[in-house]
Amino acid sequence: MPIRETFWNIPHWAEIAQYLLGLLAILIFSYGVIRRVRRWLKGQPERRIDHIRSRLWSVVVQAVGQARTLHDIYPGIMHLTIFWGMIALFIGTILATVDWDVTHLFFNVQFLTSWVYVLYELILDIFGVFLLIGLGMAIYRRYIVRPDRLANMPGNGFIWDDAYVLIMLVLIGITGYLVEGLRIAVAQPDWAPWSPVGNAIGNAFIAFGDPSNRFLHYALWIIHILIAFVALASIPYTKFWHLIAGPVNIFFRSLEPAGRMSAPVSEDEPGVKEWRDFTWKQLLDFESCTRCGRCQDVCPAHASGFSLSPRDIMIKLDTYMWQPANGHNMLGDVISADELWACTSCLACLNICPVFNDQFSAIIDMRRYLVLEGDVDPQLQDALANLGRYGNSFGKSDRMRAKWTKSIQPKIKDVRRDEVEYLWFVGDYASYHASMTDKTLMMAKVFQSAGLDFGILYDGERNSGNDVRRVGEEGLFDMLAEKNLVTFSKSTFKTIVTSDPHSFNTLKNEYSENGNDHYSVLHYSQLLDQMITSGQLKVSRKLGYKVTYHDPCYLGRYNGEYDAPRRVMSALGCELVEMPRNKENTFCCGAGGGRIWMEDPPEVTERPAENRVKEAASLPGVSTLVVACPKDLVMFQDAVKTADLEGKLFVKDLIDLIGEATEMNLAEPKEQN
Amino acid sequence: MNIVVLAKLIPDLVEELEIDDSGTALDMTWLRLIINELDDHAIEEAILLKERTGANVTVLAPDIEGVDDILFTAAAKGAERLIKIVGDYESGVNNHALARVLTPVMKDLQPDLILVGVEAHEDLDGSIGPLLAGYLDLPFIGYVASIELEDGKATATKEYPGGLSVEMEVTLPVVLGIQVAEEPPRYVAVSKVRQAMKTAEIEELEAGDFDLAGGPTIDRMYQPEVSEGATIIDGSLDDIADSLIGIFKELGVQ
Amino acid sequence: MNKDILVVIEHIRGEVADISYMMIAAARQLAETTEGEVLAVLMGSGIENLAGNLAADKVIYLEDPQLANFTSDTYQQSLENLIRENNPRAVVLGHTSIGMEVASLLSAKSDLPLVSSCLSFSGENGSVKFTSQLYGGKILAEGLIPEPIALLTMVPGGYKPEDGQSSTPPLVITAAAPQFADLEISVKQYIEPETGDVDITSEPLLIAVGRGIQLEDNIEIAEELAEAIGGVVCASRPVVDQGWLPTSRLVGKSGYQVKPKVYLTLGISGAPEHTEGIAGSETIIAINTDPAAPIFNIAKYGVVEDIFDLVPVLTEKLEES
Ligand SMILES: Cc1cc2nc3c(=O)[nH]c(=O)nc-3n(C[C@H](O)[C@H](O)[C@H](O)COP(=O)(O)OP(=O)(O)OC[C@H]3O[C@@H](n4cnc5c(N)ncnc54)[C@H](O)[C@@H]3O)c2cc1C
């Protein structure tokens, strides 16, 4: 009967020595873990232990199931095979240990017998192959293909670490097979064919004969054991650490809506200057980073030649938190202000990170400190000063905010006086920017002719503060939000609608934090969708255009709304051709996070918006890029000029399409006063 | 080293200005008052000097609506002492009156250096810096763009038109009219201002009676006739461009 | 009864500033009402020749090495003396980096009333009225010039420099400066302007960009227009302060006084500090979205349009033709 003969050919003293060594490895391992945990605990407090069940479930899906890792096919499969190969071998080892040193030792029973054992051997053999295939793919990719995102800058110290992990795993796999093969060569059990790889190796060794194979087996067993224990002990000291930190990090990830940023730990002195000012969870983020570079690949700032790589931010902070004493300042020496200001807050990085790191929160916390120190771009400074003084970034009088309504008859209701169903939060760009006037007027016309009960706040509206917050000026955000909330509380309405996804995000996710959610918030694409579906808005002409659509970061990735604008376009009779990067993979226009208020540095090669309009223009038969965000419109209209696509690609707002499909014209678009 | 900066609030020109019923003054109902931009530069210059030399900075301002904000902002930038001059500003106070009120205040404060924006767009009776210097019997240099301090002396760079500037040396104490600070005024995070509101204290001094002598009386205030001179060209963009090209040709530049 | 008008001539490094001629032109008008004479005061050392084309009745030339370079204290003490000696009805100074501080110092020290930012004057049955420009040129204020002696500082715009010039040299009376007391200011050195790439003061066609241009990148649309039409780009202060264009392109009070045939402004509001640099332009054409912008008051032609809409069209048409 097939049975697992553990410690075959191994003298008793070696068996004992193995346990002693194992104990030592565990001690070293534990010390390393404690050292890591103590470092995290030096960070600031943050609560992350609610909703245990969803946390556990996300560990199952993301760590065990590797769901996000698999988004990227080659590296995904590569990692999956290594991961599951190692897990299977590890479980196999545990089972063998229990079988021999628990059940057999104490109860004289073995469960790895007969068909169970044969199956066990077969499965382990197959997973061993997976492991080696995965490792082969990894070695090929890292050392032959060498994609950019694996380049080890900054911190060359990591080079040995990446190699170390691969070498150790390869050695464990190979010595494991050899030990198995040599045992089969000597013992030649009947069930050997069930271990196909081991059997093949065994056959190759039979020729050497028993004593030398026995000796070889013995020697390789020792080597295998030693390597395995070294690997185990080294987990908390090397890149292996992600085996632990990754799942733990996934467990503790934020379960808040993506659009709700956490407030600074200290209200009086917001921001992070030193590594200890980060929360323990952020420190855990840095440690969990496996340097896979997926975030760098999707980062619009990185693609445009800005000095930012979210991956490098993680790596540098991780390095810094372990050796902060070498006289460097975290801000300035390790992380430059330019890197931090480059971020467009698009969230592509954290959306793709397999270990659920939050690169953005680290960036914001450091930005907060820069703002506190007054270390801001002159143009941004102007914008912030204007926002503080006038409530808009344009530096125009608040009394001019509703100037665009002058020509509208009947007059739009003032929500501060008249009760309405919909409060239209117009937003800065739609109110003040010359390129937006026609769209804003069209929206008013569409609402009015559909008989929507709506109004605006006139000069009572303030910038919503979404981007102010993401610049890191928390105090100003609070001020703007307070002013809007006071105005809201004095007005009667049911729903806020806005065309600006940025305002939409903060109104929906961040204003309600302040305990003021007697209203709901809609993006205009959602409202238009409802109006069309309910028949309130009648489409009189099917457009028949072939268009493509850009998902705004703040509508899509931040708030998961991908369908409403698509339904509207299809209701208008537009054929939608998707860009390669669509929905959650949308590519930021480059305006977010306050970037629209900042000057681009000279090293910027191709601005994100240019990159994006080229993507749109490359679609066969498509000459219209539809947007659903005022900033997108401004950015892309400009990019079409600078990318030399004028006349080839037209940027249209969703409301333009509505206007055409309902055959509404702005009687006199440019009014003179 | 004691530096005193004088800051004023003046109407924000971003808003449309209107004349009140008397026809001799601005209608204040809709006005937004903001710090005189050049005074903001004066504060910045004082803070820069403080950072370089360890001087003490006092910021002084008439108590007009919004003054607390500018004083706390100055504190957030690094000013040590904040003083507001309380009085009846409603009926209109000119620079002569203000300078007279400030004269004894300055004598008490004994500054080595008084900084003030070189002018404000509402000055009708001269600018406050040299008036104050006159009453205090101190020297004055205006249009200053940088300051160097060394034992009992200051070297100020004064700007003339066309990019020419001149270095002048002057014995302290002195009043300097700032045209532009060496660095643009820094940004102060709102949280810092809020922090300053909690910790800094604004001292109050009584202005007493204002003596307006030395300034003119306004009989009439009005907005210049809109488009008095200009012939407005309108029409479509195309038409306008054609008309402009026509004008260029006529004037012989095309 | 005081009748004469004293005009303090401004000059820097051997050149009379344009404002001085405008002040003489204004003073001539004032003197007509007061039935007095125009006395120009020229202070300096070895610059008697500068008096040559001043359209004044008399030039009082104070020659003193200590007046070789302007400092507020020597000017103030000299003028205090002259006012006492001449008992004028008014002393006219420039609203400039020279005149403004001297006027205010004098007002405080000699207890004389002061009216600043005067744009023009007018006589009305014996008394004289001032019109001053306030609030960035958005408001004008009128009143009577205080009696008996008033200090006036003038902004350009109301008078032409030609009217203050004359081909017949005036009578020059050379006098000694007073004994200066307690001088605290000394001139150490002049710092020359950065030498510019172009001399905007001699260009016939200038395209001036203001804050309305919004971003550094947008300067390009002005450059393209300038290229299409054969002009040169210059700017208002905010644009230069941002470092988007060099100081050599700055027009106005702290920049250059320009006198092109055509001065085309793109997004400039027309603040007095800017417009005083363009008084010598033959034709001003303004493009601005705000129909109430003061620039339209001095422009011959105005367009109320967004520069980002209009300028590209204009450039294209110029390129075609
Ligand atoms: C002591 C002193 C010295 C100074 N010296 C000078 C000097 O030498 N030169 C100088 O220029 N300034 C000088 N200034 C500054 C001066 O007071 C004004 O602040 C400045 O001239 C304003 O520049 P601007 O017209 O470009 O900007 P703004 O006054 O901000 O005007 C911008 C204009 O652009 C218009 N606009 C906006 N967008 C558009 C668009 N898309 N299309 C069309 N129009 C648009 C707006 O309606 C507005 O009228 C000085 C100030 C001081 C106190």
Side-chain angles (χ1 to χ4, degrees):
Chain A
M1 187 184 72
I3 189 160
R4 166 127 186 144
E5 214 182 316
T6 311
F7 297 116
W8 172 87
N9 187 36
I10 304 303
H12 197 58
W13 69 265
E15 192 182 331
I16 303 221
Q18 182 219 261
Y19 279 102
L20 289 177
L21 266 180
L23 197 64
L24 182 64
I26 287 173
L27 282 177
I28 297 174
F29 169 86
S30 307
Y31 172 76
V33 173
I34 291 168
R35 181 170 153 268
R36 293 265 186 183
V37 173
R38 284 179 48 184
R39 180 108 338 195
W40 306 339
L41 293 181
K42 289 196 170 138
Q44 303 298 313
E46 183 169 13
R47 242 185 82 85
R48 285 292 172 86
I49 40 166
D50 47 351
H51 306 293
I52 300 285
R53 232 183 294 168
S54 21
R55 293 189 178 282
L56 286 173
W57 179 242
S58 110
V59 173
V60 171
V61 175
Q62 301 297 346
V64 183
Q66 305 261 299
R68 269 211 190 161
T69 315
L70 279 168
H71 277 315
D72 212 352
I73 304 293
Y74 182 102
I77 290 179
M78 168 196 105
H79 192 267
L80 187 79
T81 51
I82 299 175
F83 175 74
W84 270 105
M86 269 319 283
I87 290 290
L89 294 177
F90 184 69
I91 293 174
T93 310
I94 301 265
L95 285 178
T97 311
V98 171
D99 177 67
W100 190 253
D101 285 319
V102 181
T103 58
H104 179 248
L105 186 66
F106 295 109
F107 311 106
N108 208 15
V109 216
Q110 276 189 272
F111 52 84
L112 289 181
T113 57
S114 76
W115 65 270
V116 178
Y117 176 53
V118 169
L119 195 63
Y120 168 91
E121 285 287 325
L122 177 64
I123 290 175
L124 288 200
D125 234 47
I126 292 171
F127 276 91
V129 173
F130 283 162
L131 171 68
L132 289 177
I133 289 176
L135 288 169
M137 288 170 78
I139 290 167
Y140 175 73
R141 182 158 174 275
R142 180 173 293 275
Y143 297 106
I144 298 181
V145 181
R146 292 168 178 250
D148 263 358
R149 73 183 199 198
L150 292 185
N152 258 296
M153 294 302 293
N156 289 312
F158 294 116
I159 286 178
W160 74 268
D161 197 20
D162 291 322
Y164 166 80
V165 167
L166 291 175
I167 291 168
M168 290 305 268
L169 293 182
V170 168
L171 287 179
I172 288 173
I174 290 177
T175 53
Y177 271 129
L178 286 174
V179 170
E180 180 187 44
L182 287 163
R183 176 168 51 81
I184 289 172
V186 178
Q188 302 193 359
D190 297 342
W191 53 87
W194 289 101
S195 306
V197 181
N199 198 26
I201 294 173
N203 287 337
F205 275 95
I206 283 182
F208 293 110
D210 184 3
S212 52
N213 277 346
R214 221 174 251 275
F215 174 74
L216 248 181
H217 171 267
Y218 181 28
L220 277 167
W221 180 85
I222 292 177
I223 292 172
H224 180 73
I225 293 293
L226 283 177
I227 293 172
F229 284 150
V230 168
L232 173 67
S234 72
I235 286 178
Y237 307 93
T238 60
K239 190 180 179 178
F240 278 130
W241 180 232
H242 82 274
L243 290 172
I244 311 244
V248 171
N249 201 36
I250 292 171
F251 179 82
F252 286 120
R253 77 194 178 94
S254 166
L255 298 176
E256 293 285 302
R260 181 176 302 162
M261 260 174 55
S262 35
V265 177
S266 153
E267 213 176 278
D268 290 339
E269 287 201 13
V272 159
K273 181 187 182 198
E274 261 309 316
W275 67 270
R276 282 163 184 248
D277 302 337
F278 284 114
T279 69
W280 64 269
K281 173 58 182 55
Q282 288 173 310
L283 299 180
L284 174 56
D285 276 352
F286 311 153
E287 296 234 309
S288 307
C289 175
T290 63
R291 316 192 283 274
C292 73
R294 282 171 168 79
C295 53
Q296 175 178 309
D297 261 8
V298 295
C299 175
H302 186 81
S304 302
F306 284 91
S307 55
L308 172 67
S309 154
R311 182 198 75 146
D312 291 355
I313 297 274
M314 294 291 106
I315 298 179
K316 289 196 282 192
L317 290 173
D318 181 34
T319 317
Y320 184 76
M321 71 184 263
W322 285 98
Q323 29 182 266
N326 55 5
H328 293 307
N329 292 324
M330 189 178 84
L331 284 173
D333 296 338
V334 177
I335 308 280
S336 73
D338 287 351
E339 284 172 78
L340 298 174
W341 291 125
C343 175
T344 68
S345 77
C346 75
L347 293 196
C349 53
L350 57 153
N351 224 42
I352 201 152
C353 179
V355 295
F356 285 75
N357 271 352
D358 188 344
Q359 298 89 333
F360 182 58
S361 86
I363 290 176
I364 283 302
D365 276 328
M366 290 184 281
R367 277 187 176 186
R368 284 174 172 156
Y369 185 75
L370 294 179
V371 170
L372 195 68
E373 289 296 288
D375 191 355
V376 292
D377 176 91
Q379 224 171 297
L380 174 60
Q381 170 165 348
D382 270 359
L384 292 176
N386 285 335
L387 283 157
R389 185 174 286 170
Y390 306 107
N392 68 73
S393 60
F394 293 88
K396 299 226 167 124
S397 165
D398 41 5
R399 282 195 283 159
M400 304 298 265
R401 186 176 272 277
K403 189 170 163 230
W404 61 270
T405 58
K406 256 187 165 172
S407 63
I408 295 181
Q409 281 306 327
K411 202 166 146 29
I412 298 177
K413 281 189 191 167
D414 184 340
V415 187
R416 293 169 299 177
R417 282 201 303 269
D418 303 322
E419 184 176 335
V420 294
E421 190 172 355
Y422 290 97
L423 161 58
W424 176 12
F425 191 92
V426 187
D428 281 11
Y429 270 75
S431 299
Y432 289 109
H433 198 284
S435 311
M436 284 303 299
T437 314
D438 288 357
K439 329 279 167 208
T440 312
L441 286 172
M442 180 57 82
M443 185 127 132
K445 183 147 197 166
V446 168
F447 285 174
Q448 282 189 333
S449 57
L452 196 79
D453 179 22
F454 76 103
I456 61 174
L457 291 173
Y458 287 86
D459 53 343
E461 185 183 303
R462 291 283 170 283
N463 180 292
S464 66
N466 184 73
D467 302 69
V468 170
R469 195 168 199 208
R470 278 148 188 88
V471 156
E473 178 38 314
E474 188 75 9
L476 184 54
F477 166 73
D478 287 342
M479 203 171 96
L480 292 164
E482 268 163 38
K483 287 200 173 145
N484 280 324
L485 282 168
V486 167
T487 316
F488 292 170
S489 70
K490 289 187 195 144
S491 316
T492 315
F493 58 92
K494 292 205 186 78
T495 304
I496 296 181
V497 60
T498 177
S499 64
D500 174 26
H502 297 241
S503 302
F504 169 70
N505 178 64
T506 193
L507 289 171
K508 183 174 159 165
N509 296 310
E510 296 179 323
Y511 276 40
S512 56
E513 248 182 330
N514 307 344
N516 201 327
D517 31 15
H518 59 270
Y519 53 80
S520 54
V521 184
L522 287 181
H523 185 244
Y524 76 139
S525 62
Q526 297 172 320
L527 179 62
L528 291 169
D529 178 34
Q530 289 175 10
M531 287 165 72
I532 293 173
T533 315
S534 70
Q536 189 176 8
L537 185 63
K538 291 193 184 51
V539 177
S540 53
R541 182 164 86 88
K542 292 277 177 190
L543 297 175
Y545 301 158
K546 208 166 171 182
V547 303
T548 188
Y549 168 70
H550 167 79
D551 287 283
C553 303
Y554 278 89
L555 185 63
R557 254 195 305 265
Y558 272 80
N559 288 292
E561 182 57 85
Y562 303 108
D563 299 334
R566 287 178 170 76
R567 271 198 300 271
V568 170
M569 282 180 281
S570 109
L572 304 182
C574 291
E575 183 198 336
L576 178 66
V577 183
E578 294 285 1
M579 285 187 267
R581 293 173 292 188
N582 62 61
K583 300 194 176 168
E584 60 273 13
N585 296 321
T586 189
F587 190 72
C588 179
C589 74
R595 282 248 32 109
I596 200 158
W597 301 320
M598 298 176 223
E599 197 61 55
D600 285 340
E603 65 267 22
V604 169
T605 42
E606 180 186 64
R607 289 181 291 145
E610 290 164 357
N611 181 311
R612 187 62 162 168
V613 290
K614 285 182 190 163
E615 182 178 358
S618 70
L619 299 174
V622 172
S623 59
T624 306
L625 168 61
V626 181
V627 297
C629 167
K631 292 191 184 81
D632 280 332
L633 188 96
V634 173
M635 296 297 282
F636 291 145
Q637 278 187 342
D638 177 57
V640 161
K641 290 181 197 144
T642 52
D644 232 354
L645 290 169
E646 257 179 312
K648 296 187 195 109
L649 185 70
F650 299 91
V651 184
K652 286 193 178 172
D653 193 286
L654 200 57
I655 203 72
D656 290 328
L657 298 182
I658 298 267
E660 290 175 41
T662 52
E663 297 179 281
M664 279 184 218
N665 291 315
L666 296 174
E668 180 54 79
K670 223 163 258 135
E671 119 296 340
Q672 300 247 326
N673 33 10
Chain B
M1 170 78 55
N2 269 324
I3 304 179
V4 175
V5 188
L6 176 59
K8 276 209 305 177
L9 285 147
I10 57 173
D12 184 353
L13 298 186
V14 160
E15 302 295 341
E16 267 174 49
L17 304 181
E18 278 158 40
I19 312 292
D20 72 4
D21 293 337
S22 75
T24 60
L26 286 186
D27 185 349
M28 303 299 280
T29 22
W30 290 109
L31 275 189
R32 183 200 306 274
L33 295 173
I34 57 169
I35 186 171
N36 176 16
E37 199 181 332
L38 301 188
D39 292 344
D40 204 17
H41 278 266
I43 293 176
E44 183 63 33
E45 188 66 28
I47 301 294
L48 291 172
L49 286 171
K50 170 194 156 134
E51 285 166 358
R52 285 211 296 264
T53 68
N56 269 311
V57 176
T58 302
V59 179
L60 196 79
D63 180 23
I64 295 172
E65 192 196 323
V67 69
D68 290 7
D69 272 353
I70 68 166
L71 289 176
F72 286 129
T73 305
K77 289 180 182 179
E80 276 86 6
R81 233 180 126 180
L82 313 174
I83 304 175
K84 63 181 176 190
I85 311 292
V86 192
D88 175 21
Y89 294 92
E90 291 286 300
S91 46
V93 172
N94 65 15
N95 282 342
H96 279 77
L98 199 56
R100 282 193 191 98
V101 162
L102 289 173
T103 304
V105 175
M106 289 295 180
K107 282 187 175 147
D108 278 352
L109 291 172
Q110 301 211 325
D112 301 284
L113 193 60
I114 299 174
L115 302 185
V116 58
V118 70
E119 65 172 339
H121 57 53
E122 62 168 7
D123 297 343
L124 181 61
D125 61 333
S127 49
I128 186 130
L131 285 172
L132 189 60
Y135 291 131
L136 287 168
D137 234 340
L138 294 179
F140 178 85
I141 301 174
Y143 286 82
V144 168
S146 74
I147 302 168
E148 236 22 274
L149 292 174
E150 51 187 321
D151 37 79
K153 284 186 184 304
T155 305
T157 309
K158 177 186 175 77
E159 288 195 342
Y160 284 124
L164 178 72
S165 46
V166 61
E167 255 179 44
M168 290 181 168
E169 194 177 78
V170 59
T171 39
L172 299 179
V174 61
V175 183
L176 299 178
I178 301 296
Q179 148 91 344
V180 58
E182 284 161 58
E183 307 270 346
R186 66 194 69 193
Y187 183 72
V188 205
V190 172
S191 61
K192 264 194 155 172
V193 179
R194 289 192 173 174
Q195 184 73 355
M197 286 179 179
K198 286 185 211 150
T199 53
E201 193 200 326
I202 298 179
E203 298 164 49
E204 294 187 7
L205 294 178
E206 287 292 335
D209 288 336
F210 288 113
D211 171 7
L212 304 183
T217 312
I218 296 174
D219 297 333
R220 181 161 100 97
M221 236 191 203
Y222 57 101
Q223 285 170 308
E225 193 77 354
V226 173
S227 305
E228 208 171 57
T231 312
I232 298 290
I233 304 168
D234 54 13
S236 70
L237 290 178
D238 269 335
D239 295 346
I240 296 173
D242 289 336
S243 315
L244 286 177
I245 292 171
I247 293 168
F248 294 147
K249 289 217 169 96
E250 204 176 294
L251 298 171
V253 291
Q254 223 269 307
Chain C
M1 176 80 171
N2 306 340
K3 299 188 292 193
D4 297 341
I5 312 294
L6 276 188
V7 178
V8 182
I9 301 301
E10 293 199 0
H11 57 92
I12 299 173
R13 305 223 297 175
E15 248 186 82
V16 175
D18 268 359
I19 186 76
S20 306
Y21 299 119
M22 298 180 204
M23 290 194 287
I24 290 182
R28 295 216 67 81
Q29 191 200 350
L30 278 174
E32 230 164 80
T33 321
T34 61
E35 296 170 359
E37 290 196 319
V38 175
L39 308 179
V41 180
L42 182 63
M43 294 178 268
S45 170
I47 50 154
E48 195 181 346
N49 61 312
L50 296 188
N53 64 346
L54 301 175
D57 297 308
K58 261 185 234 152
V59 176
I60 303 171
Y61 174 47
L62 296 193
E63 155 86 43
D64 192 303
Q66 278 182 295
L67 288 169
N69 296 303
F70 166 77
T71 58
S72 56
D73 45 11
T74 52
Y75 266 50
Q76 177 260 322
Q77 291 180 27
S78 305
L79 287 170
E80 192 175 328
N81 211 33
L82 282 175
I83 293 170
R84 207 178 314 115
E85 284 168 3
N86 291 288
N87 258 318
R89 170 71 182 89
V91 184
V92 184
L93 301 101
H95 190 77
T96 61
S97 45
I98 290 177
M100 213 171 66
E101 56 196 71
V102 177
S104 297
L105 279 173
L106 266 175
S107 174
K109 293 206 170 203
S110 311
D111 210 1
L112 293 173
L114 164 58
V115 186
S116 66
S117 304
C118 299
L119 184 67
S120 63
F121 305 103
S122 59
E124 213 170 71
N125 37 27
S127 53
V128 258
K129 239 170 55 174
F130 66 86
T131 301
S132 282
Q133 207 174 33
L134 295 180
Y135 303 108
K138 287 187 157 188
I139 297 285
L140 296 179
E142 280 178 11
L144 295 179
I145 295 176
E147 304 198 12
I149 306 179
L151 303 167
L152 309 169
T153 68
M154 281 205 66
V155 296
Y159 302 89
K160 293 203 188 92
E162 300 90 88
D163 297 341
Q165 293 170 346
S166 137
S167 45
T168 42
L171 173 64
V172 180
I173 303 164
T174 306
Q179 277 294 315
F180 294 120
D182 304 326
L183 294 185
E184 317 259 28
I185 305 173
S186 59
V187 169
K188 282 172 71 179
Q189 59 168 335
Y190 284 90
I191 301 160
E192 299 299 324
E194 314 159 27
T195 39
D197 40 357
V198 284
D199 176 11
I200 57 171
T201 59
S202 59
E203 288 291 331
L205 174 60
L206 291 173
I207 318 274
V209 291
R211 211 196 302 254
I213 201 82
Q214 286 170 12
L215 293 175
E216 179 166 19
D217 290 347
N218 296 339
I219 301 270
E220 216 175 279
I221 69 162
E223 300 276 7
E224 281 164 11
L225 174 60
E227 199 169 310
I229 191 176
V232 163
V233 175
C234 60
S236 68
R237 248 264 297 276
V239 173
V240 173
D241 275 354
Q242 292 281 351
W244 298 344
L245 283 171
T247 329
S248 56
R249 307 284 182 112
L250 175 60
V251 174
K253 187 174 188 138
S254 34
Y256 292 91
Q257 320 285 313
V258 297
K259 33 190 181 308
K261 276 190 150 143
V262 174
Y263 191 77
L264 174 65
T265 70
L266 310 179
I268 285 183
S269 64
E273 292 85 2
H274 183 77
T275 55
E276 73 178 59
I278 59 177
S281 310
E282 274 175 34
T283 306
I284 297 170
I285 307 176
I287 308 178
N288 194 310
T289 39
D290 178 6
I295 188 76
F296 289 124
N297 300 333
I298 58 160
K300 175 125 186 243
Y301 300 101
V303 181
V304 182
E305 267 297 343
D306 192 313
I307 50 176
F308 300 112
D309 292 337
L310 179 59
V311 174
V313 178
L314 185 58
T315 306
E316 202 172 301
K317 285 195 178 250
L318 284 163
E319 276 165 356
E320 278 167 17
S321 65

